[in-house]
Amino acid sequence: MPGCCGCWEVLRPPRYKRLVDSIFPANPQDGLVKNNMDKLTFYAMTTSEKLDRIGMYLEQRLSRDISRHRIGFVFVAMDALDQLLVACHAHSLNLFVESFLKMVQKLLECEEAELQILATQSFIKFANIEEDTPSYHRRYDFFVSKFSVMSHNADRNENVRVKIRGAGLLGLQGVVRKTVSDDLQVNIWDPVHMDKIVPSLLFNMHTPEFMSVNTESPRDEEHPAYIAEMVFRDLVCRASYGNVKSVLQPVLCHIDNHRLWVPNEFAVKCFKIIMYSVQQQYGYLVIQMLMSHLDTHTNSDPSIKASIIEVLYESVLISAGGSIGPSVLDVFNTLLRHLKTSVDNKSPEGEKRNMEKKFEEAIINTIGEFANNLPDYQKIEIMMFIMGKFPQFSNSEEMGFMDNYLQTMLLKTLLKVATKYKTVIMNNAFPPEFLHPLLRISLLDDPGLRVVVQEILHTLLDRHDNASKLKTVSIPKDVVSELDLTVDKVPRQDSLFMKKNGIQFYWHILENLQMESNKADNFEAIFCTMCLITIEMGGDDILVELIRLALDIQSMTIESTLPKTHKCCNHAIVAAYLNVLAQITNMSPLVQYLSDLFELRRKEACHLLPEFAFNRSNRDSSVKDEDYPKEDKVEEKWLFDQTALQDILTECGHDASRLSAPLAQRPHSSMGIMIHDSGMVNSMSDIGSINIELDSIESSPLLARKKVEEITVESLKKMLAEDQSVKREEDAKKRQEIFETFQNAPFEEIVARAEAKSNCFHDKLYEILEMSPPSSPDHTTKESQNAVPVFEMQFPSLYVY
């Protein structure tokens, strides 16, 4: 009997096995035996070295139950595993986890949907556990692949399909959570994993029957569309700087492969989720990826490119200032390059061309939103950058060739950026590198382009939202109240800016008004520009110059050969502009003078008032060419008299002496080259009183200077009238003689000429030194007395030439 007891002790199973066996009930429907499960948990926690053996034994029982299709005991075994996994946090947990993952893998390999869902639920619980020690050898390749397959489940039973897809999506989230925070485990951001995870999420988000589901409703939380979006947000949120592109690349590839750019509702939805979920400091990486992807579609259909640009636009709207990143100009350069490519490759097909126009408009809007996220100083830089895309001006100020439509697109882009800029100081809004080219472009041949340039000026000049109220040329009795204008005191720095750059504006306004291709829109835009200059920068310092501008326009119109319609428009602009200027500056005598003259014009020359010249509502019937005066003659009494204006300015305390000098000089360009024009020969100011003393080149320091030459307008005219052809021929002849001398003359003759020049130089130097006062004897030393004077030194012949 004692021998039998000893055999029983040897054959008796270990305690951990007995404890594991005791947790299984006779009927699997009863679930775990709770008391025995508590004993097993306590044993595992107190003897952690047995934990791995417990796991191995549970794995054996689970495999046996699966093979025998004892599904109830499988659920019991997994329940026990889950409880042990949560309760035990020993250092030996890694070995237990290996057994646990093997059991989960076996369940996932089963065809029964309920077992796959059970395995996924256990894996999710495991993923939420933070382990104390890292695992260097654990891999999750199988789980990524299996969960991705489950996410694409196509079971005919909708309920089963929804459950399996939801389980697969949550399983993918569990894999990401388990691996993303541990650098020592598998890198889940590798393309081999992201190319499975991301398409699985997008597939469930885009499935047609899921697209109509209201994912915001709480009752839809179990729906795969809702789960996929939640997992996708979590994935993007966890992406660091180096991993954002790993997520975005599969997104772009999925949209390309499934042709989801047109229509682009799903693409917009995806990138909105990305922009709202990604860390704000990494938002610009999303923009860069979209820009790079747009480059790959350079030759694609315009509708695809337009959709990509729309996605880019929506992404920029969400970015709230963090989308540009370090390469600001590179972003704008890429967009402008695509704009130019689209314009250069215009399609002759009508429908395709419409898509190209849509694409171009989308680029312009996107550039505007990009600029809106920039600080003001960078907006000016961007406008200067866009200006640089125009052909460069030559010294004759003729712009190089450029497609008219491309010019229109660039100017619209410039206008879009300008609308995002808020002007504070004019000097900052109009740096010379930007102002000068912009004003030159205002002289383009196309009248529509000139209107766009004036609109750009309106946007930058208008700080009080007055531009929209000055679009119509009219003569109201009370300008400020009737037009609801906002007028503030002009800052001093703006007055200084206008003193320095006013001539630029004045001259280009005069040139614009002389163009025969002008239409009513052009005249109205120029009038608005003149009024905005007066309101925003028209201080007392430049009041006289502004009135001089009006008088110059009047005199230019009288002397020009413009059509009658253009002349009437010019006279009407001068009248309306002086009315605005007089009432804004509160010059009562000027207001009264203008009122009397307007009344006279209404009686005798109504064609010189805006009511006639800008009658656009019924222009074809009410105002015809025969309604204009037959004789192209304007009587003096209808015009603004310079003497009368001088008297009014003097009465109001202004210096009216400058009113007699016209503002017709063309300004200097930004490169310092005087821009000439045959039609503008008068000077900005009277330079006849300027005397410049020039020392004669041949005079000596102590000799009397030659008579000072007085430079006057007459002398300059005489110089211009002289025939320069004779002088040019003489210079050419001299150059030819020198060339032939050095080419054909003997060497000795060349040496002799050089010696003669050298002797002449020494004689002149000796003469100068002889006339200089002698040095003080106190500073004369013995060595200096014995030294040979420099001018008496004989240099070697080698130094002569």
Side-chain angles (χ1 to χ4, degrees):
M1 191 68 180
C4 293
C5 292
C7 293
W8 171 249
E9 291 293 337
V10 173
L11 297 175
R12 186 182 182 185
R15 186 182 180 191
Y16 72 88
K17 287 188 177 181
R18 297 198 307 271
L19 291 172
V20 170
D21 291 336
S22 67
I23 66 174
F24 289 91
N27 184 2
Q29 301 297 329
D30 296 337
L32 279 172
V33 180
K34 189 175 184 308
N35 292 334
N36 295 337
M37 186 64 210
D38 292 340
K39 294 177 182 179
L40 177 61
T41 303
F42 179 77
Y43 178 79
M45 293 176 66
T46 55
T47 56
S48 58
E49 67 275 5
K50 299 292 185 180
L51 190 58
D52 58 328
R53 297 186 180 184
I54 294 173
M56 293 174 64
Y57 185 60
L58 277 171
E59 179 189 351
Q60 292 174 8
R61 288 208 53 155
L62 184 70
S63 301
R64 185 169 62 247
D65 292 336
I66 291 174
S67 62
R68 295 176 181 177
H69 296 283
R70 300 167 62 181
I71 305 302
F73 288 107
V74 171
F75 277 88
V76 173
M78 291 305 299
D79 190 10
L81 279 171
D82 293 342
Q83 292 190 32
L84 288 173
L85 201 63
V86 172
C88 301
H89 294 282
H91 293 291
S92 56
L93 186 63
N94 271 335
L95 298 177
F96 177 76
V97 169
E98 293 302 321
S99 301
F100 168 78
L101 292 178
K102 288 180 181 179
M103 287 182 275
V104 172
Q105 182 173 341
K106 287 181 180 180
L107 290 178
L108 289 173
E109 291 172 347
C110 297
E111 295 182 359
E112 290 82 355
E114 54 183 350
L115 293 182
Q116 294 181 14
I117 295 171
L118 174 64
T120 304
Q121 292 172 348
S122 295
F123 184 84
I124 293 171
K125 293 177 183 177
F126 160 71
N128 292 327
I129 297 174
E130 294 185 6
E131 299 182 55
D132 297 332
T133 56
S135 176
Y136 301 96
H137 58 281
R138 196 181 301 162
R139 300 188 63 84
Y140 295 92
D141 296 12
F142 167 80
F143 296 100
V144 173
S145 301
K146 183 60 180 180
F147 290 141
S148 298
V149 172
M150 292 172 63
S151 302
H152 290 81
N153 184 273
D155 195 282
R156 294 182 179 179
N157 190 321
E158 183 178 357
N159 292 331
V160 174
R161 183 172 66 248
V162 168
K163 290 181 179 179
I164 293 179
R165 287 189 180 184
L169 294 169
L170 292 173
L172 290 175
Q173 185 183 32
V175 174
V176 173
R177 285 182 177 178
K178 194 63 182 175
T179 57
V180 73
S181 59
D182 192 349
D183 295 335
L184 298 176
Q185 296 195 38
V186 62
N187 185 8
I188 198 65
W189 304 108
D190 284 345
V192 66
H193 300 308
M194 284 292 112
D195 289 344
K196 298 175 183 177
I197 296 174
V198 174
S200 301
L201 302 177
L202 298 179
F203 171 76
N204 284 277
M205 292 167 59
H206 181 253
T207 305
E209 58 265 26
F210 294 164
M211 289 293 290
S212 59
V213 174
N214 182 12
T215 57
E216 299 296 329
S217 175
R219 66 179 180 272
D220 297 324
E221 289 184 0
E222 300 298 326
H223 203 288
Y226 180 89
I227 298 173
E229 183 175 330
M230 177 191 67
V231 175
F232 188 55
R233 290 179 186 275
D234 183 62
L235 177 67
V236 176
C237 183
R238 293 176 182 272
S240 61
Y241 172 79
N243 302 324
V244 172
K245 293 183 179 180
S246 301
V247 179
L248 292 178
Q249 192 60 44
V251 173
L252 295 171
C253 291
H254 180 85
I255 297 175
D256 281 342
N257 295 336
H258 294 271
R259 300 178 180 178
L260 300 177
W261 288 116
V262 181
N264 65 346
E265 287 82 1
F266 178 70
V268 171
K269 176 183 177 182
C270 288
F271 277 91
K272 280 186 175 181
I273 293 173
I274 292 172
M275 292 303 298
Y276 280 122
S277 304
V278 73
Q279 300 179 45
Q280 186 175 5
Q281 65 269 29
Y282 304 145
Y284 75 93
L285 293 174
V286 182
I287 305 301
Q288 287 184 352
M289 285 290 291
L290 281 171
M291 299 286 289
S292 301
H293 196 68
L294 180 62
D295 290 339
T296 63
H297 284 276
T298 302
N299 299 322
S300 299
D301 190 84
S303 59
I304 296 177
K305 295 191 291 183
S307 296
I308 297 175
I309 286 293
E310 289 178 12
V311 173
L312 186 63
Y313 175 79
E314 295 292 338
S315 301
V316 173
L317 287 178
I318 300 170
S319 62
S323 66
I324 298 296
S327 53
V328 178
L329 292 181
D330 183 59
V331 171
F332 288 92
N333 188 46
T334 302
L335 291 173
L336 290 172
R337 186 179 70 248
H338 283 283
L339 179 62
K340 185 177 185 302
T341 302
S342 177
V343 172
D344 292 342
N345 301 326
K346 291 192 289 285
S347 174
E349 302 177 11
E351 184 177 352
K352 192 172 182 180
R353 182 59 195 144
N354 290 334
M355 291 305 304
E356 289 175 348
K357 290 182 178 179
K358 183 179 178 183
F359 169 63
E360 292 156 6
E361 292 294 334
I363 289 181
I364 294 174
N365 292 332
T366 305
I367 289 177
E369 286 305 320
F370 268 116
N372 194 34
N373 288 340
L374 293 173
D376 283 345
Y377 74 92
Q378 282 191 326
K379 291 174 186 174
I380 291 295
E381 291 180 359
I382 294 305
M383 287 191 279
M384 293 168 60
F385 181 75
I386 297 173
M387 189 69 67
K389 296 298 180 180
F390 284 87
Q392 298 299 314
F393 291 84
S394 63
N395 290 347
S396 61
E397 295 302 296
E398 294 180 356
M399 193 174 74
F401 174 76
M402 176 183 270
D403 182 79
N404 190 66
Y405 185 72
L406 179 57
Q407 290 179 353
T408 304
M409 289 294 102
L410 288 176
L411 285 176
K412 285 185 177 180
T413 305
L414 195 61
L415 177 60
K416 194 71 176 181
V417 177
T419 57
K420 307 299 180 181
Y421 180 79
K422 193 67 177 176
T423 302
V424 178
I425 300 175
M426 294 297 173
N427 195 42
N428 295 338
F430 293 104
E433 300 83 2
F434 173 66
L435 175 62
H436 300 163
L438 179 64
L439 291 177
R440 290 183 215 155
I441 294 175
S442 70
L443 301 179
L444 292 172
D445 294 333
D446 188 275
L449 296 181
R450 297 201 298 271
V451 171
V452 178
V453 175
Q454 295 299 326
E455 290 176 351
I456 295 171
L457 289 172
H458 299 166
T459 304
L460 296 175
L461 287 170
D462 188 19
R463 289 178 294 197
H464 300 92
D465 298 327
N466 291 323
S468 59
K469 307 165 188 174
L470 295 167
K471 294 293 186 182
T472 304
V473 184
S474 61
I475 304 179
K477 292 184 178 180
D478 190 346
V479 172
V480 177
S481 62
E482 290 186 27
L483 299 182
D484 192 23
L485 299 179
T486 304
V487 182
D488 289 339
K489 184 179 180 181
V490 178
R492 177 164 178 76
Q493 56 265 39
D494 290 343
S495 296
L496 295 175
F497 169 80
M498 201 59 187
K499 282 185 177 181
K500 180 180 178 182
N501 300 283
I503 187 64
Q504 294 277 347
F505 290 99
Y506 304 150
W507 189 87
H508 284 89
I509 287 173
L510 281 168
E511 281 294 295
N512 269 274
L513 290 173
Q514 292 184 73
M515 292 191 168
E516 294 188 5
S517 59
N518 280 335
K519 299 179 180 179
D521 292 337
N522 297 95
F523 288 112
E524 290 174 344
I526 295 170
F527 168 75
C528 183
T529 302
M530 295 169 63
C531 293
L532 288 175
I533 290 174
T534 304
I535 294 172
E536 300 294 344
M537 298 181 288
D540 294 339
D541 297 340
I542 63 167
L543 178 62
V544 177
E545 281 74 11
L546 294 175
I547 297 178
R548 285 167 59 193
L549 171 63
L551 292 177
D552 272 7
I553 296 174
Q554 178 178 265
S555 59
M556 175 272 297
T557 304
I558 296 172
E559 298 172 1
S560 68
T561 58
L562 291 171
K564 286 183 291 184
T565 54
H566 288 54
K567 289 187 175 183
C568 290
C569 285
N570 284 345
H571 283 296
I573 285 177
V574 172
Y577 171 65
L578 285 176
N579 182 57
V580 172
L581 185 147
Q583 297 194 39
I584 288 177
T585 55
N586 295 320
M587 297 177 62
S588 301
L590 181 58
V591 172
Q592 184 61 42
Y593 169 75
L594 295 176
S595 178
D596 295 340
L597 187 57
F598 295 157
E599 190 62 31
L600 179 62
R601 284 189 178 186
R602 289 189 182 95
K603 294 179 180 179
E604 302 180 9
C606 63
H607 60 282
L608 302 182
L609 294 174
E611 292 84 355
F612 182 97
F614 289 92
N615 187 358
R616 302 176 57 159
S617 58
N618 53 356
R619 179 171 45 195
D620 296 335
S621 58
S622 64
V623 178
K624 300 179 181 179
D625 288 341
E626 54 266 21
D627 293 329
Y628 288 91
K630 295 181 179 179
E631 295 184 3
D632 189 9
K633 182 179 179 181
V634 180
E635 297 185 14
E636 288 290 336
K637 61 180 179 179
W638 299 340
L639 300 177
F640 300 100
D641 184 56
Q642 178 178 323
T643 305
L645 292 175
Q646 280 181 325
D647 295 340
I648 293 173
L649 288 172
T650 304
E651 180 183 348
C652 295
H654 296 281
D655 181 13
S657 60
R658 293 174 294 167
L659 198 63
S660 58
L663 285 172
Q665 183 190 23
R666 186 167 186 173
H668 289 273
S669 70
S670 59
M671 301 302 294
I673 301 171
M674 175 62 78
I675 305 167
H676 58 275
D677 183 67
S678 58
M680 292 292 177
V681 296
N682 295 324
S683 173
M684 173 184 64
S685 59
D686 186 8
I687 62 172
S689 59
I690 301 177
N691 294 330
I692 303 177
E693 293 186 0
L694 299 174
D695 292 346
S696 174
I697 298 176
E698 299 177 356
S699 64
S700 301
L702 299 179
L703 294 178
R705 293 178 179 175
K706 291 188 175 181
K707 183 180 179 181
V708 175
E709 181 181 2
E710 184 177 2
I711 299 178
T712 63
V713 175
E714 296 299 325
S715 63
L716 291 175
K717 287 182 178 180
K718 184 178 180 181
M719 291 173 60
L720 292 173
E722 290 178 356
D723 188 6
Q724 301 292 327
S725 59
V726 177
K727 186 177 181 180
R728 285 196 294 269
E729 290 176 1
E730 292 179 354
D731 293 339
K733 186 176 180 181
K734 288 181 179 179
R735 285 195 297 271
Q736 185 64 24
E737 289 176 357
I738 295 173
F739 175 76
E740 291 176 356
T741 298
F742 281 88
Q743 188 177 33
N744 303 321
F747 182 74
E748 292 76 9
E749 180 181 348
I750 297 175
V751 171
R753 290 189 178 187
E755 287 180 345
K757 290 183 179 180
S758 176
N759 292 334
C760 179
F761 169 77
H762 281 292
D763 291 342
K764 181 61 67 176
L765 181 61
Y766 181 79
E767 178 185 355
I768 294 173
L769 294 176
E770 281 292 324
M771 290 185 296
S772 62
S775 58
S776 175
D778 297 337
H779 301 284
T780 305
T781 63
K782 184 176 180 181
E783 293 181 0
S784 63
Q785 291 176 355
N786 297 331
V788 179
V790 176
F791 56 87
E792 293 183 0
M793 293 177 63
Q794 295 297 323
F795 294 95
S797 58
L798 180 63
Y799 284 40
V800 173
Y801 53 90

